mmCIF file of all heavy atoms in Angstrom:
data_model
loop_
_atom_site.group_PDB
_atom_site.id
_atom_site.type_symbol
_atom_site.label_atom_id
_atom_site.label_comp_id
_atom_site.label_asym_id
_atom_site.label_seq_id
_atom_site.Cartn_x
_atom_site.Cartn_y
_atom_site.Cartn_z
ATOM 1 N N ASP A 31 15.204 -57.040 8.569
ATOM 2 C CA ASP A 31 14.649 -58.091 9.420
ATOM 3 C C ASP A 31 14.116 -57.552 10.747
ATOM 4 O O ASP A 31 13.786 -58.329 11.650
ATOM 5 C CB ASP A 31 15.681 -59.199 9.657
ATOM 6 C CG ASP A 31 16.960 -58.683 10.310
ATOM 7 O OD1 ASP A 31 16.986 -57.507 10.728
ATOM 8 O OD2 ASP A 31 17.929 -59.449 10.376
ATOM 9 N N TYR A 32 14.037 -56.250 10.841
ATOM 10 C CA TYR A 32 13.486 -55.656 12.065
ATOM 11 C C TYR A 32 12.790 -54.374 11.669
ATOM 12 O O TYR A 32 13.358 -53.560 10.942
ATOM 13 C CB TYR A 32 14.602 -55.385 13.075
ATOM 14 C CG TYR A 32 14.127 -55.174 14.482
ATOM 15 C CD1 TYR A 32 13.844 -56.256 15.303
ATOM 16 C CD2 TYR A 32 13.940 -53.894 14.997
ATOM 17 C CE1 TYR A 32 13.403 -56.067 16.607
ATOM 18 C CE2 TYR A 32 13.500 -53.699 16.286
ATOM 19 C CZ TYR A 32 13.235 -54.792 17.096
ATOM 20 O OH TYR A 32 12.791 -54.616 18.376
ATOM 21 N N PHE A 33 11.575 -54.235 12.166
ATOM 22 C CA PHE A 33 10.745 -53.114 11.721
ATOM 23 C C PHE A 33 10.195 -52.360 12.931
ATOM 24 O O PHE A 33 9.885 -52.948 13.968
ATOM 25 C CB PHE A 33 9.594 -53.636 10.849
ATOM 26 C CG PHE A 33 10.081 -54.457 9.696
ATOM 27 C CD1 PHE A 33 10.254 -55.830 9.846
ATOM 28 C CD2 PHE A 33 10.384 -53.867 8.487
ATOM 29 C CE1 PHE A 33 10.733 -56.599 8.799
ATOM 30 C CE2 PHE A 33 10.861 -54.621 7.426
ATOM 31 C CZ PHE A 33 11.033 -55.993 7.583
ATOM 32 N N LEU A 34 10.096 -51.051 12.768
ATOM 33 C CA LEU A 34 9.684 -50.211 13.880
ATOM 34 C C LEU A 34 8.654 -49.198 13.410
ATOM 35 O O LEU A 34 8.636 -48.802 12.245
ATOM 36 C CB LEU A 34 10.890 -49.451 14.460
ATOM 37 C CG LEU A 34 12.163 -50.254 14.763
ATOM 38 C CD1 LEU A 34 13.157 -50.176 13.611
ATOM 39 C CD2 LEU A 34 12.815 -49.754 16.039
ATOM 40 N N TRP A 35 7.814 -48.794 14.323
ATOM 41 C CA TRP A 35 6.895 -47.688 14.083
ATOM 42 C C TRP A 35 7.202 -46.580 15.091
ATOM 43 O O TRP A 35 7.383 -46.836 16.284
ATOM 44 C CB TRP A 35 5.448 -48.129 14.237
ATOM 45 C CG TRP A 35 4.934 -48.932 13.073
ATOM 46 C CD1 TRP A 35 4.928 -50.295 12.950
ATOM 47 C CD2 TRP A 35 4.344 -48.416 11.873
ATOM 48 N NE1 TRP A 35 4.392 -50.651 11.750
ATOM 49 C CE2 TRP A 35 4.013 -49.529 11.064
ATOM 50 C CE3 TRP A 35 4.066 -47.132 11.393
ATOM 51 C CZ2 TRP A 35 3.406 -49.398 9.812
ATOM 52 C CZ3 TRP A 35 3.460 -47.004 10.152
ATOM 53 C CH2 TRP A 35 3.142 -48.126 9.379
ATOM 54 N N TYR A 36 7.235 -45.370 14.562
ATOM 55 C CA TYR A 36 7.452 -44.201 15.395
ATOM 56 C C TYR A 36 6.285 -43.237 15.197
ATOM 57 O O TYR A 36 5.693 -43.150 14.129
ATOM 58 C CB TYR A 36 8.754 -43.484 15.017
ATOM 59 C CG TYR A 36 10.009 -44.183 15.467
ATOM 60 C CD1 TYR A 36 10.592 -45.191 14.715
ATOM 61 C CD2 TYR A 36 10.617 -43.825 16.669
ATOM 62 C CE1 TYR A 36 11.749 -45.826 15.138
ATOM 63 C CE2 TYR A 36 11.777 -44.450 17.101
ATOM 64 C CZ TYR A 36 12.328 -45.453 16.324
ATOM 65 O OH TYR A 36 13.473 -46.074 16.755
ATOM 66 N N LYS A 37 6.015 -42.489 16.242
ATOM 67 C CA LYS A 37 4.963 -41.490 16.223
ATOM 68 C C LYS A 37 5.626 -40.131 16.399
ATOM 69 O O LYS A 37 6.548 -39.984 17.225
ATOM 70 C CB LYS A 37 4.017 -41.784 17.392
ATOM 71 C CG LYS A 37 2.885 -40.815 17.618
ATOM 72 C CD LYS A 37 2.071 -41.316 18.829
ATOM 73 C CE LYS A 37 0.943 -40.384 19.174
ATOM 74 N NZ LYS A 37 0.182 -40.885 20.346
ATOM 75 N N LYS A 38 5.182 -39.154 15.639
ATOM 76 C CA LYS A 38 5.829 -37.850 15.717
ATOM 77 C C LYS A 38 4.792 -36.734 15.723
ATOM 78 O O LYS A 38 3.920 -36.673 14.862
ATOM 79 C CB LYS A 38 6.789 -37.673 14.537
ATOM 80 C CG LYS A 38 7.596 -36.379 14.594
ATOM 81 C CD LYS A 38 8.514 -36.248 13.395
ATOM 82 C CE LYS A 38 9.340 -34.966 13.457
ATOM 83 N NZ LYS A 38 8.525 -33.754 13.485
ATOM 84 N N TYR A 39 4.937 -35.849 16.705
ATOM 85 C CA TYR A 39 4.135 -34.633 16.753
ATOM 86 C C TYR A 39 4.944 -33.510 16.104
ATOM 87 O O TYR A 39 6.182 -33.583 16.028
ATOM 88 C CB TYR A 39 3.795 -34.260 18.197
ATOM 89 C CG TYR A 39 2.883 -35.248 18.881
ATOM 90 C CD1 TYR A 39 3.343 -36.028 19.940
ATOM 91 C CD2 TYR A 39 1.555 -35.402 18.481
ATOM 92 C CE1 TYR A 39 2.513 -36.919 20.591
ATOM 93 C CE2 TYR A 39 0.720 -36.305 19.116
ATOM 94 C CZ TYR A 39 1.208 -37.071 20.162
ATOM 95 O OH TYR A 39 0.379 -37.957 20.787
ATOM 96 N N PRO A 40 4.280 -32.459 15.621
ATOM 97 C CA PRO A 40 4.998 -31.349 14.982
ATOM 98 C C PRO A 40 6.068 -30.756 15.885
ATOM 99 O O PRO A 40 5.860 -30.600 17.087
ATOM 100 C CB PRO A 40 3.875 -30.336 14.706
ATOM 101 C CG PRO A 40 2.640 -31.150 14.619
ATOM 102 C CD PRO A 40 2.812 -32.269 15.587
ATOM 103 N N ALA A 41 7.205 -30.443 15.306
ATOM 104 C CA ALA A 41 8.324 -29.801 15.999
ATOM 105 C C ALA A 41 8.858 -30.636 17.168
ATOM 106 O O ALA A 41 9.444 -30.087 18.108
ATOM 107 C CB ALA A 41 7.931 -28.402 16.486
ATOM 108 N N GLU A 42 8.631 -31.919 17.106
ATOM 109 C CA GLU A 42 9.206 -32.813 18.117
ATOM 110 C C GLU A 42 9.925 -33.956 17.422
ATOM 111 O O GLU A 42 9.693 -34.238 16.246
ATOM 112 C CB GLU A 42 8.109 -33.390 19.023
ATOM 113 C CG GLU A 42 7.451 -32.365 19.926
ATOM 114 C CD GLU A 42 6.453 -33.032 20.868
ATOM 115 O OE1 GLU A 42 6.426 -34.271 20.946
ATOM 116 O OE2 GLU A 42 5.706 -32.283 21.535
ATOM 117 N N GLY A 43 10.803 -34.645 18.172
ATOM 118 C CA GLY A 43 11.425 -35.829 17.633
ATOM 119 C C GLY A 43 10.468 -37.013 17.670
ATOM 120 O O GLY A 43 9.509 -37.018 18.427
ATOM 121 N N PRO A 44 10.699 -38.013 16.845
ATOM 122 C CA PRO A 44 9.835 -39.202 16.843
ATOM 123 C C PRO A 44 9.923 -39.961 18.160
ATOM 124 O O PRO A 44 10.957 -39.963 18.824
ATOM 125 C CB PRO A 44 10.410 -40.045 15.696
ATOM 126 C CG PRO A 44 11.206 -39.101 14.866
ATOM 127 C CD PRO A 44 11.734 -38.085 15.822
ATOM 128 N N THR A 45 8.834 -40.603 18.513
ATOM 129 C CA THR A 45 8.767 -41.435 19.711
ATOM 130 C C THR A 45 8.553 -42.879 19.292
ATOM 131 O O THR A 45 7.643 -43.157 18.504
ATOM 132 C CB THR A 45 7.601 -40.997 20.613
ATOM 133 O OG1 THR A 45 7.755 -39.622 20.941
ATOM 134 C CG2 THR A 45 7.576 -41.815 21.899
ATOM 135 N N PHE A 46 9.377 -43.772 19.814
ATOM 136 C CA PHE A 46 9.241 -45.183 19.479
ATOM 137 C C PHE A 46 7.878 -45.703 19.958
ATOM 138 O O PHE A 46 7.452 -45.435 21.083
ATOM 139 C CB PHE A 46 10.369 -45.986 20.117
ATOM 140 C CG PHE A 46 10.185 -47.467 20.027
ATOM 141 C CD1 PHE A 46 10.335 -48.125 18.819
ATOM 142 C CD2 PHE A 46 9.830 -48.208 21.148
ATOM 143 C CE1 PHE A 46 10.152 -49.489 18.728
ATOM 144 C CE2 PHE A 46 9.646 -49.568 21.069
ATOM 145 C CZ PHE A 46 9.810 -50.214 19.860
ATOM 146 N N LEU A 47 7.232 -46.479 19.109
ATOM 147 C CA LEU A 47 5.899 -46.985 19.428
ATOM 148 C C LEU A 47 5.904 -48.497 19.620
ATOM 149 O O LEU A 47 5.558 -49.015 20.669
ATOM 150 C CB LEU A 47 4.956 -46.600 18.291
ATOM 151 C CG LEU A 47 3.469 -46.519 18.540
ATOM 152 C CD1 LEU A 47 3.155 -45.582 19.681
ATOM 153 C CD2 LEU A 47 2.764 -46.037 17.267
ATOM 154 N N ILE A 48 6.292 -49.200 18.599
ATOM 155 C CA ILE A 48 6.243 -50.648 18.636
ATOM 156 C C ILE A 48 7.166 -51.186 17.545
ATOM 157 O O ILE A 48 7.440 -50.494 16.567
ATOM 158 C CB ILE A 48 4.792 -51.161 18.439
ATOM 159 C CG1 ILE A 48 4.659 -52.641 18.764
ATOM 160 C CG2 ILE A 48 4.294 -50.850 17.025
ATOM 161 C CD1 ILE A 48 3.206 -53.117 18.823
ATOM 162 N N SER A 49 7.639 -52.414 17.728
ATOM 163 C CA SER A 49 8.524 -53.001 16.735
ATOM 164 C C SER A 49 8.162 -54.457 16.521
ATOM 165 O O SER A 49 7.373 -55.050 17.277
ATOM 166 C CB SER A 49 9.983 -52.883 17.188
ATOM 167 O OG SER A 49 10.186 -53.597 18.402
ATOM 168 N N ILE A 50 8.750 -55.048 15.485
ATOM 169 C CA ILE A 50 8.539 -56.459 15.225
ATOM 170 C C ILE A 50 9.756 -57.023 14.523
ATOM 171 O O ILE A 50 10.339 -56.387 13.638
ATOM 172 C CB ILE A 50 7.250 -56.690 14.398
ATOM 173 C CG1 ILE A 50 6.940 -58.180 14.294
ATOM 174 C CG2 ILE A 50 7.358 -56.064 13.006
ATOM 175 C CD1 ILE A 50 5.530 -58.475 13.763
ATOM 176 N N SER A 51 10.129 -58.202 14.942
ATOM 177 C CA SER A 51 11.229 -58.911 14.303
ATOM 178 C C SER A 51 10.661 -59.759 13.170
ATOM 179 O O SER A 51 9.501 -60.169 13.210
ATOM 180 C CB SER A 51 11.913 -59.805 15.333
ATOM 181 O OG SER A 51 12.725 -60.778 14.702
ATOM 182 N N SER A 52 11.485 -60.056 12.198
ATOM 183 C CA SER A 52 11.008 -60.831 11.046
ATOM 184 C C SER A 52 10.689 -62.279 11.388
ATOM 185 O O SER A 52 10.106 -62.993 10.571
ATOM 186 C CB SER A 52 12.052 -60.792 9.924
ATOM 187 O OG SER A 52 13.265 -61.369 10.365
ATOM 188 N N ILE A 53 11.050 -62.716 12.593
ATOM 189 C CA ILE A 53 10.706 -64.089 12.971
ATOM 190 C C ILE A 53 9.266 -64.179 13.468
ATOM 191 O O ILE A 53 8.748 -65.265 13.708
ATOM 192 C CB ILE A 53 11.657 -64.650 14.044
ATOM 193 C CG1 ILE A 53 11.575 -63.834 15.343
ATOM 194 C CG2 ILE A 53 13.081 -64.692 13.519
ATOM 195 C CD1 ILE A 53 12.369 -64.442 16.473
ATOM 196 N N LYS A 54 8.629 -63.002 13.618
ATOM 197 C CA LYS A 54 7.243 -62.975 14.055
ATOM 198 C C LYS A 54 6.365 -62.425 12.946
ATOM 199 O O LYS A 54 6.852 -61.776 12.012
ATOM 200 C CB LYS A 54 7.098 -62.087 15.292
ATOM 201 C CG LYS A 54 7.786 -62.604 16.531
ATOM 202 C CD LYS A 54 7.470 -61.693 17.711
ATOM 203 C CE LYS A 54 8.048 -62.244 18.994
ATOM 204 N NZ LYS A 54 7.690 -61.388 20.154
ATOM 205 N N ASP A 55 5.068 -62.655 13.054
ATOM 206 C CA ASP A 55 4.158 -62.025 12.110
ATOM 207 C C ASP A 55 3.188 -61.071 12.804
ATOM 208 O O ASP A 55 2.377 -60.415 12.146
ATOM 209 C CB ASP A 55 3.403 -63.063 11.281
ATOM 210 C CG ASP A 55 2.693 -64.089 12.151
ATOM 211 O OD1 ASP A 55 2.486 -63.826 13.352
ATOM 212 O OD2 ASP A 55 2.344 -65.167 11.625
ATOM 213 N N LYS A 56 3.290 -61.012 14.123
ATOM 214 C CA LYS A 56 2.396 -60.130 14.861
ATOM 215 C C LYS A 56 3.039 -59.749 16.184
ATOM 216 O O LYS A 56 3.670 -60.581 16.845
ATOM 217 C CB LYS A 56 1.061 -60.843 15.104
ATOM 218 C CG LYS A 56 0.058 -60.078 15.957
ATOM 219 C CD LYS A 56 -1.193 -60.924 16.177
ATOM 220 C CE LYS A 56 -2.163 -60.245 17.131
ATOM 221 N NZ LYS A 56 -3.365 -61.087 17.372
#
Side-chain angles (χ1 to χ4, degrees):
Chain A
D31 58 9
Y32 198 82
F33 305 89
L34 312 96
W35 284 93
Y36 286 85
K37 176 180 178 180
K38 184 181 181 300
Y39 294 113
E42 292 184 10
T45 303
F46 170 72
L47 203 55
I48 192 170
S49 62
I50 188 168
S51 163
S52 61
I53 62 173
K54 294 185 175 182
D55 54 18
K56 176 183 175 182

